[in-house]
Amino acid sequence: DQAVIAIQNARLFNETQEALSRETASAEILRVISGSPTDVQPVFDAIVGTTIDLLACDRAVMLMCDASHFWAAAAATAESGVAASVEGKRIPLDPAANFPSRAIASKAVLHLPDWAAIEDMPEHERRIFESTPLRASLMVPLLRQGECIGLLAIVRARAGGFSDKEIALAQSFCDQAMIAIGNTRLFNETREALEQQTATAEILKVISDSPTDVAPVFDAIAERARVLCGALLGFTTRLDGEQAHLVGFHGVSPQAEAAMRAAFPMKPSRGSINGRCILERSTVQIVDVQLDPDYRLMDAARAAEYRSILAVPMLQGGQVIGVIGVARSEPGAFSHKLVSLLQTFADQAVIAIENVRLFNETKEALEQQTASAEVLQVIGSSVSDTKPVFERILGSAQRILSTNYVNIGLIGADGLVHLHVNPQPQFPGDPLYPKVVEYLHRTFPQPVRESLHSYVAYKCRVLHYPDVMNGSDVPPALREANKWMGDHSELWVPLVWNGKGIGALGIARFPVRPFSDKEIALIKTFADQAVIAIQNARMFNETQLALERQTATANVLKAISRSTF
């Protein structure tokens, strides 16, 4: 009886000690999990180390896997303890070639008590068996939503099966590994979401701080895209209708920036990812530019050292107005999260462009209304003299249209066209301005039959020549007369009174820059105001002359009445 008591006491003591050791080990692993929410490596190291101690094994390895390969993530041995680093060599999944692949494929525990008794041992494992003291192993899968994402592999140098308690303990370690993996995944997803929201907020702030300029927004988007995508470089481009221009860039080296800037501006083509994105009007990615037969920017790829590249279009009204892209140094596909992130940035870029457009349109409308009001004010205060009105019209047109070359030509009663120009340029330092002014003073006044002003007045219609030197609709005489001026655009607006042209307002702009519909409408308004000023002055002068005549007549009659005899 006393012997039985002693045996039971020893058994209970050992079981209690084993349970305490397991609880202590589990508590230690949980402590590591709580202290490492962003990295599973310390947890894996703690698990393989604890496995060596509690399962009395010679080697423990934590393996991770994907759909095609598995690799070692942590390892420990009875002799050396936990390895400081593990060679993560990727091994193809092949159930016929190795035991880990079988356990991963079966998603079940693989228990091999004695390797010497295995008849269908793969050749790779047989070489391991013959060259090492390996005799028994246990492989417990890590399962997430029914899919195997890794294994805990345990090896002993002596033959013999693992007990149910040992298998249960190994499974508990795997459960803890899954807790750590899940915590890390959730933490990283939360952190990514926070980083993306922060980046979005930062870009929105830049948009609000730059209502008149999209360049800071594009720079911020390129920088945030590169950082959040873990990319080598980020870039943004704008499409002007024919060519794409690099407007924002953020890279990790001056060589990368120089290589990218050298490739722009570029016409859209399939030789670049920017061109493909514009042509297809959809997201495009190249997993490896070195394997893409259509990719033509290999010099830039080699100089910047990128292999994979992603581009997302900026769409406005179904049309591409620009592109956002990132490039990485390693080949491979970009995740859906990164694509979605760039699409968010693209939407913000479109908002910035639209904000700037609306702001500029509002600003232009205000400037035009202010200019018209100023001209009307001058008309009201200068009813007898057109010169102040003409000067205000010419100055306003010069400022708003960003050109020095504005004039008003009036058909005089003498059969000549008389010209009015501003004596001072709106933009000093223009090298061509003195030559143009000298030419105008030398050739005016000029006969009606030789003047384009009188031609425009006779036609009573606007003449717009976007490219005087090269346009097919330009009269040869006009091109010949202005060839000394070089490439430029011209606009002619008639001054019409009661259906009859009395002159014209002419504008030239260097270099070639066609006039928009809004600009033409503004010049028409100025022409109408010039006509009002002219007619006001004419009517004032006619009224004043009539008054003078009536006054003179009254004076004569008064003198007659006083000198009857």
Side-chain angles (χ1 to χ4, degrees):
D1 292 341
Q2 290 175 325
V4 170
I5 292 171
I7 292 170
Q8 291 304 317
N9 285 347
R11 183 182 62 79
L12 291 172
F13 180 83
N14 290 335
E15 288 180 353
T16 301
Q17 191 176 38
E18 288 177 5
L20 180 61
S21 298
R22 291 171 183 171
E23 292 296 332
T24 302
S26 295
E28 179 62 22
I29 293 172
L30 291 174
R31 185 188 66 79
V32 176
I33 291 174
S34 65
S36 183
T38 63
D39 184 11
V40 296
Q41 191 60 49
V43 180
F44 288 172
D45 290 341
I47 288 175
V48 295
T50 303
T51 300
I52 291 289
D53 294 337
L54 294 186
L55 272 68
C57 58
D58 297 283
R59 182 175 177 81
V61 182
M62 182 67 72
L63 302 174
M64 301 304 294
C65 68
D66 56 22
S68 58
H69 293 79
F70 69 89
W71 60 92
T77 63
E79 296 81 8
S80 306
V82 178
S85 62
V86 177
E87 181 183 359
K89 181 180 178 181
R90 294 173 62 86
I91 302 172
L93 283 175
D94 184 359
N98 53 69
F99 290 138
S101 294
R102 293 185 183 182
I104 292 171
S106 66
K107 304 175 187 178
V109 174
L110 180 60
H111 186 194
L112 303 171
D114 187 358
W115 278 41
I118 300 175
E119 296 180 356
D120 60 340
M121 184 181 297
E123 183 62 30
H124 178 267
E125 314 292 38
R126 183 172 297 281
R127 287 196 298 270
I128 295 176
F129 173 70
E130 293 174 351
S131 60
T132 65
L134 176 62
R135 291 296 178 270
S137 63
L138 177 67
M139 298 180 186
V140 183
L142 279 65
L143 299 177
R144 183 175 65 195
Q145 297 179 350
E147 295 297 325
C148 182
I149 63 170
L151 287 176
L152 175 58
I154 306 167
V155 178
R156 283 177 179 163
R158 66 185 186 281
F162 290 80
S163 67
D164 293 340
K165 288 184 179 179
E166 290 173 328
I167 294 175
L169 181 59
Q171 287 177 325
S172 70
F173 289 160
C174 289
D175 293 339
Q176 290 174 322
M178 290 304 303
I179 292 172
I181 292 171
N183 285 352
T184 302
R185 180 178 59 83
L186 291 173
F187 185 91
N188 290 335
E189 287 179 353
T190 303
R191 184 178 63 181
E192 287 176 4
L194 179 61
E195 289 175 346
Q196 292 179 14
Q197 290 177 357
T198 302
T200 300
E202 290 173 350
I203 293 171
L204 291 175
K205 183 178 184 302
V206 175
I207 291 174
S208 66
D209 292 342
S210 304
T212 63
D213 186 10
V214 295
V217 179
F218 283 175
D219 285 335
I221 288 175
E223 188 270 338
R224 288 288 83 199
R226 187 196 74 79
V227 173
L228 292 181
C229 294
L232 180 70
L233 56 89
F235 63 89
T236 52
T237 67
R238 285 288 302 275
L239 184 66
D240 64 4
E242 295 184 357
Q243 289 186 312
H245 299 264
L246 186 66
V247 292
F249 181 86
H250 195 269
V252 296
S253 70
Q255 294 82 0
E257 180 171 1
M260 286 296 293
R261 293 195 181 280
F264 289 89
M266 64 170 66
K267 288 189 175 181
S269 71
R270 293 204 51 85
S272 70
I273 193 166
N274 188 83
R276 293 184 201 181
C277 187
I278 292 172
L279 294 174
E280 297 180 12
R281 291 189 293 179
S282 63
T283 298
V284 178
Q285 60 176 302
I286 302 175
V287 296
D288 192 345
V289 295
Q290 294 183 4
L291 302 179
D292 191 304
D294 296 329
Y295 197 72
R296 294 291 178 266
L297 301 182
M298 289 308 303
D299 290 341
R302 283 188 287 268
E305 299 180 343
Y306 65 82
R307 293 283 297 276
S308 56
I309 190 166
L310 166 69
V312 173
M314 305 175 200
L315 295 173
Q316 188 176 47
Q319 299 299 317
V320 179
I321 60 174
V323 171
I324 297 175
V326 290
R328 296 187 302 203
S329 56
E330 68 278 358
F334 291 80
S335 69
H336 294 299
K337 286 184 179 179
L338 296 185
V339 173
S340 177
L341 175 63
L342 286 196
Q343 288 172 338
T344 300
F345 287 163
D347 293 339
Q348 290 177 320
V350 172
I351 291 172
I353 294 170
E354 186 66 10
N355 284 353
V356 171
R357 184 186 66 81
L358 292 173
F359 183 92
N360 290 335
E361 286 185 352
T362 304
K363 180 181 174 184
E364 288 174 4
L366 180 61
E367 288 177 346
Q368 293 176 11
Q369 290 177 359
T370 302
S372 295
E374 290 173 349
V375 173
L376 291 174
Q377 184 179 10
V378 175
I379 290 174
S381 61
S382 182
V383 294
S384 63
D385 186 8
T386 59
K387 183 179 178 180
V389 180
F390 288 171
E391 288 181 352
R392 179 55 60 93
I393 288 175
L394 294 171
S396 298
Q398 286 175 323
R399 183 182 71 257
I400 294 175
L401 301 180
S402 300
T403 181
N404 284 324
Y405 315 104
V406 184
N407 61 75
I408 295 175
L410 297 178
I411 300 173
D414 55 1
L416 298 175
V417 174
H418 299 267
L419 198 68
H420 299 266
V421 295
N422 263 2
Q424 297 295 328
Q426 182 73 30
F427 304 97
D430 185 343
L432 193 61
Y433 183 77
K435 293 178 62 178
V436 174
V437 172
E438 187 275 332
Y439 169 79
L440 294 176
H441 283 307
R442 177 164 45 83
T443 56
F444 283 88
Q446 61 184 207
V448 170
R449 65 180 180 276
E450 298 177 4
S451 174
L452 188 59
H453 292 82
S454 59
Y455 174 78
V456 174
Y458 171 73
K459 290 290 186 181
C460 285
R461 63 186 180 89
V462 174
L463 297 181
H464 180 206
Y465 301 114
D467 189 347
V468 173
M469 293 296 103
N470 303 298
S472 59
D473 59 339
V474 180
L478 175 63
R479 182 183 293 113
E480 181 64 24
N482 292 343
K483 66 180 181 180
W484 63 274
M485 299 170 67
D487 292 338
H488 65 285
S489 303
E490 288 190 13
L491 175 66
W492 296 87
V493 178
L495 276 61
V496 181
W497 175 253
N498 287 336
K500 181 180 178 181
I502 60 174
L505 197 158
I507 306 169
R509 191 151 64 181
F510 302 82
V512 171
R513 188 151 52 96
F515 295 87
S516 68
D517 293 340
K518 290 182 180 179
E519 291 174 329
I520 294 174
L522 175 63
I523 298 306
K524 285 182 178 179
T525 300
F526 285 156
D528 294 340
Q529 290 174 326
V531 171
I532 292 171
I534 293 169
Q535 296 308 314
N536 282 353
R538 181 183 62 81
M539 293 175 63
F540 180 87
N541 291 332
E542 289 178 353
T543 302
Q544 189 177 41
L545 180 60
L547 180 61
E548 289 175 352
R549 289 174 177 173
Q550 290 175 0
T551 301
T553 300
N555 289 336
V556 171
L557 292 174
K558 184 178 180 181
I560 290 172
S561 66
R562 290 177 179 176
S563 305
T564 307
F565 305 102

